[in-house]
Amino acid sequence: DHLAGRAADGSLPGLTDLRDDAGARSARLVFRPDPERAARFGLTPMQVVSFVAGASEGAYVGEFRQAQDDVPMVVRLAEEVADDPALLTQVPIALAPEGRALRFGDVGSLAVEQRPAQLTRRDYRRTITITGDLAPDSPLSAIHLDAAVKAWWTGAAAAHPGVDLAFGGEAQSTARSYASLLTALVVAIFVIYVVLATQFRSYAQPALIMTNVLFGFIGVTLMMAVLGVCAMLLPEGWVRPERAMFTVQTFIAIVGLTGMVVSEGIVLVEFINGRRGEGLALESALITAGHQRLRPILMATTTTIAGLLPMAIGLPEFSVAWSPMATAFVAGLTMSTALTLVVLPAGYLLLARGRAG
């Protein structure tokens, strides 16, 4: 009801086809025995249950042989009696110690209740599965819906004791994808660092080069924040809100961005080391590297951005899946290149002076 209400008022746009597997409800006759009264008449709970089952479902009394088949015989009350609580409470089930007929109404109460026609259990607990879909043009994702439900449940949990929420479907698969990509990113960074440490025979210079990964992540974060603010402040349609979404494809862009931004740092640091090996002073090597490596780094960055820019802009049409990924790649690469040319030489200078000191 909460999700349906928010979908109706527009706070969860694009949420459609909400449904659950609670199924249709049916009227059921429920008998609640009174243990004290049953014990007073010398009846055990199992005897009372047997009486109720026999009255509603019938009692097996034997088999009737017909030709070569044995037909089981079940005796039960007439349907108009078995389905009417008022009549069923007057049905005698045994003799009381004082000799009078003992009826259902003497050992319990009968009532008609609405119960689910089908019960689904998981780990021995009753479960109801609620499902829904997102329209193709919905600005929401499964993660957003999960967050909305969790925020509502924080205030509503106290009113539903014994009830737990579990999330699955697309949100669960998305969370697994994020975990898998995060593992891939950590492994990639570690492998790149090990290879660089082996090649440079140093632990500090590879760490300096790996800061480019942080520069790229800063660029992606800032771009997503700026696009999100623009989508909220500018007139509707100027900036699509999907551009500010941090999706699985955006994370893929960050993982792919790692290799490229690291290669720019390798080119610059390797060139500085080469000039210092030729005898140039530290400051001269840094200036020479910045001057001579500027054009190759900018050319590599520009050609990559030019190839991704149409997808990032949305040409020939905007893609909810791939346009944010291209936007993240362009933003991360731009920021990383700018900071590589400015921060990385300064970091190299501080590192070299620290060793000399």
Side-chain angles (χ1 to χ4, degrees):
D1 292 340
H2 172 73
L3 288 177
R6 294 192 61 179
D9 65 19
S11 58
L12 290 178
L15 179 59
T16 61
D17 297 333
L18 274 176
R19 55 195 179 275
D20 60 65
D21 63 354
R25 303 182 73 84
S26 60
R28 295 192 181 186
L29 192 61
V30 179
F31 178 77
R32 292 185 174 86
D34 188 325
E36 294 184 1
R37 281 193 286 174
R40 188 184 309 152
F41 294 116
L43 298 177
T44 64
M46 289 301 300
Q47 288 177 311
V48 176
V49 171
S50 298
F51 293 147
V52 175
S56 59
E57 302 296 335
Y60 174 77
V61 295
E63 295 182 349
F64 175 75
R65 181 174 293 275
Q66 183 178 11
Q68 297 181 353
D69 297 327
D70 293 333
V71 180
M73 294 188 298
V74 176
V75 178
R76 70 184 301 271
L77 295 174
E79 291 186 2
E80 58 270 16
V81 177
D83 297 336
D84 189 341
L87 296 177
L88 193 56
T89 54
Q90 302 303 316
V91 173
I93 59 175
L95 289 176
E98 61 271 18
R100 71 177 180 86
L102 186 64
R103 294 175 169 80
F104 277 112
D106 296 326
V107 293
S109 60
L110 283 164
V112 177
E113 296 182 359
Q114 294 292 327
R115 297 288 184 88
Q118 179 180 357
L119 295 179
T120 305
R121 297 187 181 276
R122 181 177 181 180
D123 296 332
Y124 306 102
R125 300 186 64 184
R126 170 76 195 286
T127 61
I128 296 177
T129 303
I130 302 174
T131 59
D133 295 321
L134 289 173
D137 58 347
S138 174
L140 301 176
S141 66
I143 299 298
H144 292 88
L145 293 179
D146 275 13
V149 173
K150 289 177 181 177
W152 167 80
W153 183 247
T154 301
H160 302 81
V163 178
D164 294 325
L165 289 183
F167 297 89
E170 183 180 344
Q172 187 180 38
S173 63
T174 302
R176 291 176 179 172
S177 299
Y178 279 128
S180 176
L181 288 171
L182 180 60
T183 302
L185 179 62
V186 172
V187 171
I189 291 175
F190 176 76
V191 172
I192 291 173
Y193 179 81
V194 171
V195 172
L196 292 179
T198 304
Q199 294 297 319
F200 283 92
R201 297 181 181 180
S202 168
Y203 296 109
Q205 287 188 358
L208 181 63
I209 295 173
M210 296 302 293
T211 56
N212 278 15
V213 178
L214 179 60
F215 299 157
F217 186 74
I218 291 173
V220 173
T221 304
L222 289 177
M223 178 58 74
M224 294 297 176
V226 170
L227 291 175
V229 172
C230 292
M232 290 188 296
L233 298 181
L234 295 178
E236 185 178 357
W238 285 27
V239 178
R240 294 181 64 108
E242 296 91 337
R243 290 189 177 277
M245 290 183 182
F246 196 90
T247 62
V248 173
Q249 286 80 6
T250 305
F251 211 133
I252 294 175
I254 293 176
V255 176
L257 191 63
T258 302
M260 186 156 188
V261 298
V262 166
S263 66
E264 293 180 349
I266 294 174
V267 169
L268 194 59
V269 172
E270 179 65 24
F271 191 87
I272 295 172
N273 289 340
R275 301 293 80 76
R276 292 190 67 190
E278 295 174 358
L280 282 180
L282 175 60
E283 289 78 3
S284 299
L286 292 173
I287 295 173
T288 303
H291 181 265
Q292 296 189 10
R293 293 292 94 188
L294 175 62
R295 181 178 295 178
I297 291 176
L298 289 181
M299 287 180 61
T301 300
T302 303
T303 53
T304 304
I305 291 176
L308 292 172
L309 200 57
M311 185 188 298
I313 296 174
L315 298 176
E317 61 180 11
F318 182 83
S319 171
V320 176
W322 301 112
S323 293
M325 185 198 76
T327 302
F329 206 104
V330 169
L333 186 58
T334 302
M335 179 65 73
S336 175
T337 300
L339 293 181
T340 296
L341 296 172
V342 176
V343 178
L344 196 144
Y348 190 103
L349 178 63
L350 295 175
L351 181 63
R353 287 180 176 177
R355 286 181 175 180

Tab-separated table of all heavy atoms in Angstrom, residues 2 8 11 53 79 84 92 133 153 173 178 187 204 240 243 256 263 265 317 342 346 356:
chain	number	residue	atom	x	y	z
A	2	HIS	N	1.973	1.204	0.773
A	2	HIS	CA	2.865	2.364	0.818
A	2	HIS	C	3.466	2.634	-0.557
A	2	HIS	O	3.481	3.781	-1.031
A	2	HIS	CB	3.962	2.110	1.844
A	2	HIS	CG	5.046	3.137	1.846
A	2	HIS	ND1	4.866	4.405	2.344
A	2	HIS	CD2	6.334	3.093	1.389
A	2	HIS	CE1	5.985	5.092	2.198
A	2	HIS	NE2	6.886	4.326	1.620
A	8	ALA	N	1.371	6.453	-6.989
A	8	ALA	CA	0.221	7.226	-7.448
A	8	ALA	C	0.448	8.730	-7.316
A	8	ALA	O	0.026	9.505	-8.172
A	8	ALA	CB	-1.029	6.811	-6.671
A	11	SER	N	5.807	10.413	-6.338
A	11	SER	CA	7.092	10.447	-5.641
A	11	SER	C	7.988	9.277	-6.028
A	11	SER	O	9.195	9.313	-5.782
A	11	SER	CB	6.868	10.448	-4.121
A	11	SER	OG	6.128	9.309	-3.717
A	53	ALA	N	-12.023	-32.608	12.861
A	53	ALA	CA	-11.635	-33.083	11.540
A	53	ALA	C	-12.689	-34.012	10.959
A	53	ALA	O	-13.012	-33.949	9.765
A	53	ALA	CB	-10.288	-33.791	11.608
A	79	GLU	N	-23.243	-30.740	4.212
A	79	GLU	CA	-22.505	-29.502	3.982
A	79	GLU	C	-23.144	-28.310	4.670
A	79	GLU	O	-22.455	-27.447	5.202
A	79	GLU	CB	-22.392	-29.234	2.480
A	79	GLU	CG	-21.501	-30.212	1.738
A	79	GLU	CD	-21.317	-29.820	0.288
A	79	GLU	OE1	-21.864	-28.764	-0.100
A	79	GLU	OE2	-20.636	-30.553	-0.441
A	84	ASP	N	-21.775	-24.322	8.682
A	84	ASP	CA	-22.500	-23.313	9.461
A	84	ASP	C	-22.058	-23.384	10.922
A	84	ASP	O	-22.354	-24.363	11.612
A	84	ASP	CB	-24.004	-23.545	9.349
A	84	ASP	CG	-24.813	-22.404	9.955
A	84	ASP	OD1	-24.254	-21.635	10.761
A	84	ASP	OD2	-26.006	-22.291	9.632
A	92	PRO	N	-23.534	-33.159	18.560
A	92	PRO	CA	-22.976	-33.924	19.690
A	92	PRO	C	-21.732	-34.691	19.263
A	92	PRO	O	-21.670	-35.252	18.171
A	92	PRO	CB	-24.116	-34.871	20.065
A	92	PRO	CG	-24.939	-35.007	18.836
A	92	PRO	CD	-24.825	-33.707	18.106
A	133	ASP	N	7.585	-3.547	-11.473
A	133	ASP	CA	8.432	-3.241	-12.624
A	133	ASP	C	8.689	-1.739	-12.689
A	133	ASP	O	7.963	-0.943	-12.084
A	133	ASP	CB	7.786	-3.700	-13.931
A	133	ASP	CG	7.634	-5.212	-13.996
A	133	ASP	OD1	8.557	-5.905	-13.533
A	133	ASP	OD2	6.599	-5.693	-14.481
A	153	TRP	N	10.370	1.534	6.283
A	153	TRP	CA	10.339	0.451	7.259
A	153	TRP	C	10.991	0.854	8.576
A	153	TRP	O	10.631	0.329	9.640
A	153	TRP	CB	11.023	-0.782	6.682
A	153	TRP	CG	10.989	-1.985	7.584
A	153	TRP	CD1	12.032	-2.598	8.204
A	153	TRP	CD2	9.817	-2.728	7.976
A	153	TRP	NE1	11.604	-3.660	8.940
A	153	TRP	CE2	10.245	-3.761	8.832
A	153	TRP	CE3	8.464	-2.598	7.687
A	153	TRP	CZ2	9.360	-4.673	9.398
A	153	TRP	CZ3	7.582	-3.509	8.252
A	153	TRP	CH2	8.030	-4.521	9.091
A	173	SER	N	20.674	-8.526	-7.553
A	173	SER	CA	21.678	-8.767	-8.594
A	173	SER	C	22.558	-7.544	-8.810
A	173	SER	O	23.762	-7.663	-9.074
A	173	SER	CB	20.983	-9.148	-9.908
A	173	SER	OG	20.167	-8.092	-10.376
A	178	TYR	N	27.826	-4.777	-8.027
A	178	TYR	CA	28.687	-3.778	-7.405
A	178	TYR	C	29.805	-4.451	-6.608
A	178	TYR	O	30.972	-4.024	-6.665
A	178	TYR	CB	27.873	-2.868	-6.483
A	178	TYR	CG	27.137	-1.767	-7.189
A	178	TYR	CD1	25.777	-1.566	-6.992
A	178	TYR	CD2	27.802	-0.913	-8.063
A	178	TYR	CE1	25.092	-0.551	-7.643
A	178	TYR	CE2	27.125	0.101	-8.721
A	178	TYR	CZ	25.777	0.277	-8.504
A	178	TYR	OH	25.115	1.286	-9.157
A	187	VAL	N	41.493	-5.724	-7.166
A	187	VAL	CA	42.468	-6.651	-7.743
A	187	VAL	C	43.272	-5.965	-8.845
A	187	VAL	O	44.504	-6.125	-8.944
A	187	VAL	CB	41.760	-7.912	-8.276
A	187	VAL	CG1	42.733	-8.780	-9.067
A	187	VAL	CG2	41.162	-8.714	-7.131
A	204	ALA	N	57.550	3.848	-3.837
A	204	ALA	CA	56.971	5.189	-3.735
A	204	ALA	C	56.475	5.695	-5.086
A	204	ALA	O	55.374	6.252	-5.185
A	204	ALA	CB	57.997	6.156	-3.156
A	240	ARG	N	18.846	15.561	-18.119
A	240	ARG	CA	18.132	14.351	-17.697
A	240	ARG	C	18.659	13.892	-16.338
A	240	ARG	O	19.887	13.831	-16.133
A	240	ARG	CB	18.313	13.249	-18.733
A	240	ARG	CG	17.678	13.539	-20.077
A	240	ARG	CD	17.887	12.375	-21.017
A	240	ARG	NE	17.225	11.181	-20.544
A	240	ARG	CZ	16.127	10.654	-21.109
A	240	ARG	NH1	15.573	11.270	-22.137
A	240	ARG	NH2	15.610	9.553	-20.649
A	243	ARG	N	21.474	11.144	-15.826
A	243	ARG	CA	22.905	11.404	-15.968
A	243	ARG	C	23.614	11.392	-14.613
A	243	ARG	O	24.824	11.164	-14.550
A	243	ARG	CB	23.136	12.752	-16.647
A	243	ARG	CG	22.745	12.786	-18.108
A	243	ARG	CD	23.210	14.059	-18.764
A	243	ARG	NE	22.901	14.075	-20.180
A	243	ARG	CZ	23.649	13.510	-21.117
A	243	ARG	NH1	24.744	12.863	-20.768
A	243	ARG	NH2	23.312	13.579	-22.388
A	256	GLY	N	37.409	0.567	-16.066
A	256	GLY	CA	38.125	0.738	-17.329
A	256	GLY	C	39.009	1.964	-17.332
A	256	GLY	O	40.063	1.984	-17.991
A	263	SER	N	48.278	4.777	-17.186
A	263	SER	CA	49.246	4.842	-18.292
A	263	SER	C	49.758	6.268	-18.491
A	263	SER	O	50.937	6.465	-18.844
A	263	SER	CB	48.583	4.343	-19.580
A	263	SER	OG	47.540	5.213	-19.989
A	265	GLY	N	50.217	8.485	-16.104
A	265	GLY	CA	51.212	8.689	-15.053
A	265	GLY	C	52.517	7.974	-15.352
A	265	GLY	O	53.607	8.494	-15.075
A	317	GLU	N	20.690	9.113	-29.908
A	317	GLU	CA	19.640	9.120	-28.902
A	317	GLU	C	20.247	8.781	-27.544
A	317	GLU	O	21.278	8.104	-27.454
A	317	GLU	CB	18.529	8.129	-29.246
A	317	GLU	CG	18.988	6.682	-29.317
A	317	GLU	CD	17.853	5.733	-29.668
A	317	GLU	OE1	16.768	6.209	-30.059
A	317	GLU	OE2	18.062	4.509	-29.546
A	342	VAL	N	49.560	18.533	-13.326
A	342	VAL	CA	49.840	19.549	-12.311
A	342	VAL	C	50.305	18.928	-11.001
A	342	VAL	O	51.353	19.286	-10.447
A	342	VAL	CB	48.587	20.425	-12.064
A	342	VAL	CG1	48.843	21.420	-10.944
A	342	VAL	CG2	48.184	21.156	-13.342
A	346	ALA	N	54.395	17.821	-9.028
A	346	ALA	CA	54.622	18.373	-7.689
A	346	ALA	C	54.853	17.257	-6.674
A	346	ALA	O	55.721	17.359	-5.795
A	346	ALA	CB	53.426	19.227	-7.274
A	356	ALA	N	66.099	12.984	-0.643
A	356	ALA	CA	67.391	13.670	-0.495
A	356	ALA	C	67.613	14.165	0.914
A	356	ALA	O	68.732	14.175	1.440
A	356	ALA	CB	67.484	14.832	-1.498
